[in-house]
Amino acid sequence: MSGPETSVSRFSQATIPTHNGTLTVVVYREAGRRAEEREHVAIVAGALDALGGAGPVLARVHSECWTGETLGSLKCDCREQLDRALAAIEEAGRGVVVYLRQEGRGIGLGNKVRAYALQNGGADTVEANLALGFEADARRYDLAAAILDDLDVRSVRLLTNNPLKVAGLRTAGVNVSSRLSHWVGENQHNSAYLAVKRRKMGHHPDQSGQLRAISSARARKG
Ligand SMILES: [Zn+2]
């Protein structure tokens, strides 16, 4: 599944109690990098050694967003998307969030904040990245493919609104059996950003029915 140019190795793992239940955190290190710069994480719900069996795995591939997830920035919806994904895998009883340390859609925190400065001057998220000499989306998905391969995940039901992510993962060798929309709330600060993601980056605007379907299935079981 993973190409020979991509190498990650499992470094450590432990269960951690969270407000989304007890999750297993598996840390990977990228080969050839200074370790502290390039660690990625798989966050697993359910038994780790049984993750890959029994059909497609509920999964999200999520890129780090320090401003949203740590600072609580209202410019994007990353924190809500991460939290919703962790709640979904916990509720499903089996799933994984692959958390990639590629801040700012791959351009790094420093350049992301430069892009924010341009946005404060009127540029949108795509225009700002292009003005700084970056692609609109510089993320790469071979790392996620290598991590899923290590976890014996052969097929995923992917939580995302981003068709480029589905295409990128498929190119990297991941079998995406279906896409589950993963739309979270807009606010006055991120509505323009989300509109650009829909208009210029092809993100699907449909509302999520899938997570509610999971919830109601669980409720019926309970
Ligand atoms: Zn964000």
Side-chain angles (χ1 to χ4, degrees), residues 65 76 78 112:
C65 175
C76 58
C78 302
K112 177 183 176 180

Side-chain angles (χ1 to χ4, degrees), residues 2-175:
S2 55
E5 72 285 357
T6 302
S7 177
V8 290
S9 53
R10 201 185 288 208
F11 181 76
S12 58
Q13 63 192 55
T15 58
I16 297 180
T18 77
H19 67 259
N20 288 309
T22 298
L23 300 168
T24 303
V25 168
V26 185
V27 176
Y28 289 85
R29 287 190 169 178
E30 220 177 305
R33 296 266 191 171
R34 291 231 317 278
E36 71 277 12
E37 291 180 346
R38 276 299 200 175
E39 292 182 330
H40 307 281
V41 188
I43 307 158
V44 175
L48 184 60
D49 56 6
L51 179 65
V57 179
L58 186 63
R60 175 163 175 81
V61 175
H62 187 93
S63 296
E64 177 175 29
C65 175
W66 182 85
T67 48
E69 292 156 13
T70 302
L71 191 61
S73 162
L74 300 176
K75 285 179 69 68
C76 58
D77 57 352
C78 302
R79 184 183 196 160
E80 290 80 7
Q81 288 201 323
L82 177 62
D83 203 51
R84 184 80 66 88
L86 293 173
I89 63 170
E90 167 61 18
E91 199 168 324
R94 169 175 167 260
V96 59
V97 174
V98 178
Y99 186 88
L100 300 173
R101 309 290 291 281
Q102 44 185 5
E103 178 72 45
R105 291 201 299 268
I107 68 175
L109 180 60
N111 285 316
K112 177 183 176 180
V113 169
R114 287 175 70 199
Y116 279 176
L118 291 176
Q119 289 172 35
N120 289 344
D124 70 33
T125 180
V126 170
E127 291 163 351
N129 272 31
L130 297 178
L132 290 171
F134 297 106
E135 302 167 54
D137 192 336
R139 287 178 289 193
R140 40 191 283 256
Y141 295 108
D142 49 344
L143 291 166
I147 289 169
L148 290 170
D149 186 48
D150 178 74
L151 293 168
D152 282 330
V153 172
R154 301 298 161 209
S155 174
V156 296
R157 294 186 296 133
L158 194 69
L159 290 160
T160 186
N161 303 313
N162 184 355
L164 288 178
K165 188 179 286 183
V166 174
L169 286 168
R170 283 181 171 152
T171 298
V174 177
N175 176 10

